[in-house]
Amino acid sequence: MLATERFQDRALLGWLCAVVAVLSLLPLTRLVIEAFAPGGTPSTSALTRVLASPTTWVATGHSLITAFGGTLVAVVIGGVVALVLALTNIRARNAFVFCFVMPLLIAPQVVALAWLQSFGPSSPLLKMMGVAPPIGSRNPLYSPAGIILVLGVQYAPLVFLTLRAALRTLPQELIEAGLAGGARPLTVMRTIVLPLMTPPLLAGVALCFVSCLGNFGIPALLGIPANYVVLPTLIYQRLAGLGPGVLSDVAVLSLLIGVIAVIGITIQDALLRRRDFRITAAAVTARPFELRRWRLPVEIGLWLLLVAVLALPLCALVLTSLVPAVGVTLGAKTATLENFRFVLFDHAAARRALVNSFALSTTAAILIAAIAIPLAYFVVWRRSRLLRIVNLVTEVPYAVPGVVLAIAAILLFLKPLPLIGVSIYNTVWIILFCYLARFLVLGLRPVASGYHQLDRTLEEASQIAGARLLRRLRTVIVPLVAPAATAGALLIFLTAFNELTLSALLWSSGSETLGVVFFSFQQGGDSTYAAALGVLTVVVSVVLMLSTLFAAGRLPSGVLPWRD
């Protein structure tokens, strides 16, 4: 019986390792082969051709400028908000966190359009206020500064979430010692809190930099009209204009993005190794600073920030969706729901995209949950060097920019699959493969947190009673980790439902996603249709986020990023 148990364990673990290898390592390995050995023959022709092109270095420079700039804006906004929320006694904390995190769960292209409709001569919001610029004026967001601003707003929640998690474990003893020594709260923050927050801050900076570097939706909507090309949009233009014949070139461009991302992460690790940030004091949660008479002004400032970065852009997006055409002033006689009717009932591609996005997101969420539950069981409770490697490998597709994974998938599936001779290139299945690869870590992390908070007594008792692993998983473990797995599945659904970077390069006729249709509307000048579609996706995201709050008490701490 023990031999059977051991065989079952090893078979399940072997299957899980194979799945992780196929999803995480195989596509990127194929990408490297295409860059350095196109057609199976070692060659540096593609590498030389791409690196010798001035366009490559112009796009690289633009990518670095927007990535660094967006990261700086995100660190300033997210860092200040994290410090204030975690260390002070402000009120309505949960409501503010819910709203502040929202841009991270809204599609980047929708955020970009919402900001576009907040400025410029065609802004319905500015027209209603009577302060719209004259017709013919250029929208200021069609510029590097516009891309940097919107990237910073989009990813400020990343920095906020990273810092908030660390600030929760800040030792009370150190802060009270500083205050007892006569230091003011700002001095304690500068000399004690900020140095201790260096590791999570650098982690947030690295994550934000990689996200800005690989973002496609925001540079596409704001940069292409201004002829400001970054590496992801350059890859899109090359592939869209010349097709599979340039795969070797775009493979090199993808690797260039990956190399820049790896350099950024390596610099983060090097900075962390230069000092010892370990805390020897007991980790008792620090009491919040009393703001006293400053509490109301600080709260007003936070909510005004939220109005500026979320409420006004979304309001402009809604107003744009209600006008019959771009530039028309919204009023009682011009307001219409025709744009919503068109995208929901008349536009065939939009209807297909709604079905495709819902089906792809749901399928990816369910399959990843099914993989994450047994995988997290081994990672958390059966620790070994192999499992630590498997755990790290699951993060690779999410750590690299999405455009890199998309090109890798194209290269991997361009020819029919071996043995069965079936091709998934130019089908919806290649998009599903990339969703599974990229979002596996989003499903794994909440489930792993659930395992960490479980007592193994019930599982061990069932094992002693003779229940084998699969039965223990089905009857004991799954019911216990189901809330965490459901939260992870919801995160995956929300992220995949609005995704554009992968599907922009992988879609074909019949396999459109909401992100692709939204992008095509905007590129075709149909901003009112794009706004209506964007409003619908925002409503879906907000409703799903609100629905989770009813079960928040059953979830492990930190699983829901929009709950404090």
Side-chain angles (χ1 to χ4, degrees):
M1 184 166 178
L2 287 175
T4 305
E5 173 79 8
R6 257 189 248 108
F7 174 78
Q8 194 177 77
D9 283 20
R10 290 175 181 173
L12 180 57
L13 179 58
W15 179 82
L16 292 170
C17 291
V19 169
V20 171
V22 169
L23 292 176
S24 301
L25 296 181
L26 191 59
L28 299 179
T29 302
R30 180 66 183 89
L31 180 70
V32 174
I33 292 173
E34 183 64 27
F36 295 100
T41 304
S43 172
T44 59
S45 58
L47 183 66
T48 303
R49 185 167 55 250
V50 171
L51 296 183
S53 172
T55 305
T56 300
W57 298 111
V58 169
T60 301
H62 291 170
S63 289
L64 291 174
I65 290 171
T66 54
F68 278 120
T71 300
L72 179 61
V73 173
V75 168
V76 172
I77 297 175
V80 170
V81 171
L83 290 172
V84 173
L85 259 68
L87 298 180
T88 66
N89 62 331
I90 69 163
R91 295 161 292 191
R93 197 183 308 269
N94 276 326
F96 184 88
V97 170
F98 182 93
C99 296
F100 186 75
V101 173
M102 196 180 297
L104 189 62
L105 298 169
I106 298 175
Q109 63 273 12
V110 175
V111 174
L113 180 60
W115 277 84
L116 275 175
Q117 297 306 315
S118 302
F119 297 89
S122 62
S123 169
L125 182 62
L126 297 184
K127 283 180 172 293
M128 289 182 63
M129 297 168 61
V131 294
I135 298 298
S137 302
R138 185 174 182 80
N139 193 313
L141 292 181
Y142 287 131
S143 63
I147 298 173
I148 289 171
L149 173 63
V150 180
L151 283 173
V153 170
Q154 177 81 22
Y155 293 118
L158 277 181
V159 179
F160 165 76
L161 293 172
T162 306
L163 279 178
R164 183 188 63 165
L167 286 167
R168 283 173 167 172
T169 62
L170 197 65
Q172 177 180 330
E173 294 91 337
L174 295 179
I175 293 179
E176 290 186 345
L179 294 174
R184 295 183 177 181
L186 288 179
T187 304
V188 171
M189 188 174 297
R190 179 174 54 83
T191 59
I192 296 177
V193 175
L194 291 181
L196 292 177
M197 290 300 103
T198 301
L201 178 60
L202 290 177
V205 167
L207 184 59
C208 189
F209 175 78
V210 172
S211 300
C212 291
L213 185 69
N215 189 286
F216 171 78
I218 293 172
L221 262 70
L222 304 183
I224 291 178
N227 198 28
Y228 193 84
V229 179
V230 296
L231 285 173
T233 55
L234 177 62
I235 291 173
Y236 171 78
Q237 290 173 336
R238 291 275 177 89
L239 199 59
L242 301 175
V246 295
L247 281 176
S248 296
D249 289 5
V250 297
V252 174
L253 288 171
S254 300
L255 284 180
L256 181 58
I257 298 177
V259 168
I260 295 172
V262 169
I263 291 174
I265 295 173
T266 303
I267 293 174
Q268 172 219 355
D269 290 337
L271 291 173
L272 288 177
R273 283 197 298 268
R274 294 175 61 184
R275 288 181 57 192
D276 188 353
F277 295 95
R278 288 175 294 179
I279 301 172
T280 57
V284 179
T285 304
R287 288 197 299 265
F289 292 122
E290 295 290 337
L291 292 177
R292 296 185 176 88
R293 60 189 176 88
W294 290 103
R295 182 162 72 168
L296 183 59
V298 169
E299 290 173 345
I300 293 174
L302 286 175
W303 286 101
L304 286 177
L305 172 67
L306 207 55
V307 168
V309 301
L310 180 67
L312 287 179
L314 288 183
C315 180
L317 185 72
V318 172
L319 295 178
T320 302
S321 69
L322 297 176
V323 296
V326 175
V328 175
T329 302
L330 182 65
K333 294 183 179 180
T334 58
T336 177
L337 296 175
E338 176 63 23
N339 298 317
F340 291 94
R341 189 194 64 79
F342 178 79
V343 299
L344 286 174
F345 302 109
D346 289 352
H347 196 270
R351 292 201 310 273
R352 283 197 305 270
L354 182 62
V355 173
N356 289 339
S357 289
F358 185 84
L360 285 168
S361 304
T362 303
T363 304
I366 293 173
L367 291 178
I368 289 175
I371 297 170
I373 291 174
L375 182 58
Y377 172 88
F378 286 103
V379 168
V380 177
W381 285 352
R382 302 282 187 88
R383 297 176 183 177
S384 68
R385 182 176 297 179
L386 171 63
L387 290 170
R388 285 196 296 270
I389 294 173
V390 170
N391 189 32
L392 290 174
V393 167
T394 60
E395 298 183 3
V396 173
Y398 194 75
V400 300
V403 67
V404 176
L405 180 61
I407 297 300
I410 292 173
L411 292 167
L412 185 62
F413 297 115
L414 189 59
K415 296 180 180 179
L417 296 173
L419 301 179
I420 60 176
V422 176
S423 175
I424 68 171
Y425 179 68
N426 273 344
T427 69
V428 74
W429 301 109
I430 191 173
I431 301 177
L432 178 61
F433 175 88
C434 286
Y435 283 4
L436 293 175
R438 186 160 180 81
F439 303 133
L440 175 60
V441 70
L442 292 183
L444 183 62
R445 289 294 165 263
V447 177
S449 297
Y451 275 105
H452 280 297
Q453 298 185 26
L454 285 183
D455 187 350
R456 289 195 67 181
T457 305
L458 290 177
E459 194 260 345
E460 291 172 344
S462 62
Q463 184 177 12
I464 294 172
R468 295 178 181 175
L469 176 59
L470 291 179
R471 186 174 182 181
R472 297 199 306 272
L473 283 171
R474 186 178 71 254
T475 60
V476 178
I477 296 172
V478 169
L480 293 175
V481 300
T486 302
L490 180 61
L491 284 174
I492 293 166
F493 181 90
L494 287 171
T495 307
F497 189 69
N498 296 314
E499 193 279 328
L500 173 63
T501 303
L502 295 171
S503 51
L505 298 176
L506 299 175
W507 77 279
S508 59
S509 180
S511 64
E512 302 95 339
T513 64
L514 287 174
V516 170
V517 173
F518 179 95
F519 183 63
S520 66
F521 277 148
Q522 181 63 15
Q523 290 295 98
D526 297 317
S527 295
T528 54
Y529 295 150
L533 193 59
V535 169
L536 292 174
T537 61
V538 171
V539 169
V540 170
S541 298
V542 173
V543 169
L544 289 176
M545 290 169 64
L546 287 172
S547 68
T548 63
L549 300 182
F550 295 103
R554 300 179 57 194
L555 298 176
S557 176
V559 165
L560 296 178
W562 51 86
R563 182 173 174 81
D564 186 51

